[in-house]
């Protein structure tokens, strides 16, 4: 069974580079998101690196638009599907987490 790992160095690198993303690039990323196209990792990093409250407001507006286009006026919850009762992770919210007493 192949294990999938998160490449922390890649994520850190993307986030560091994203801090220099000009607003016009953020606007282009938000336009792409509003067209319901999947964002690339560097595009997502650029949105996560935004610190300007004015631009953050644009991001929330685009997120609301995408949510409403995909799910409409309803609340959608996601739950992970488990194929066993064993997990090596320690997610605080989860009853299956490895730190729970048996």
């Amino acid at each position: 069974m192949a294990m999938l790992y998160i490449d922390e160095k890649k994520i850190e690198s993307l986030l560091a580079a994203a801090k220099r993303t000009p607003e016009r690039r953020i606007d282009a990323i938000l336009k792409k998101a509003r067209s319901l196209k999947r964002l690339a990792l560097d595009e997502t990093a650029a949105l996560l690196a935004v610190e300007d409250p004015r631009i953050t407001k644009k991001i929330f507006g685009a997120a609301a638009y995408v949510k409403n286009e995909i799910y409409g006026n309803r609340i959608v919850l996601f739950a992970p599907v488990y194929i066993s009762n064993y997990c090596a992770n320690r997610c605080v919210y989860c009853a299956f987490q490895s730190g729970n007493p048996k």
Side-chain angles (χ1 to χ4, degrees), residues 22-39:
E23 185 174 353
R24 69 183 182 281
R25 174 72 176 131
I26 297 294
D27 289 340
I29 294 167
L30 294 177
K31 182 178 180 181
K32 179 180 178 181
R34 285 177 176 270
S35 70
L36 306 181
K37 294 181 182 166
R38 183 181 302 264
L39 300 183

Side-chain angles (χ1 to χ4, degrees), residues 78-91:
F78 293 93
V81 177
Y82 298 100
I83 57 173
S84 77
N85 64 351
Y86 173 78
C87 183
N89 296 318
R90 291 180 163 266
C91 301

Side-chain angles (χ1 to χ4, degrees), residues 68-96:
N68 285 324
E69 285 296 306
I70 294 173
Y71 299 110
N73 191 22
R74 61 191 171 113
I75 296 174
V76 178
L77 302 174
F78 293 93
V81 177
Y82 298 100
I83 57 173
S84 77
N85 64 351
Y86 173 78
C87 183
N89 296 318
R90 291 180 163 266
C91 301
V92 175
Y93 63 87
C94 183
F96 287 100

Side-chain angles (χ1 to χ4, degrees), residues 41-56:
L41 288 177
D42 64 315
E43 294 168 327
T44 303
L47 298 181
L48 289 172
V50 168
E51 294 180 357
D52 182 330
R54 185 180 53 78
I55 299 173
T56 300

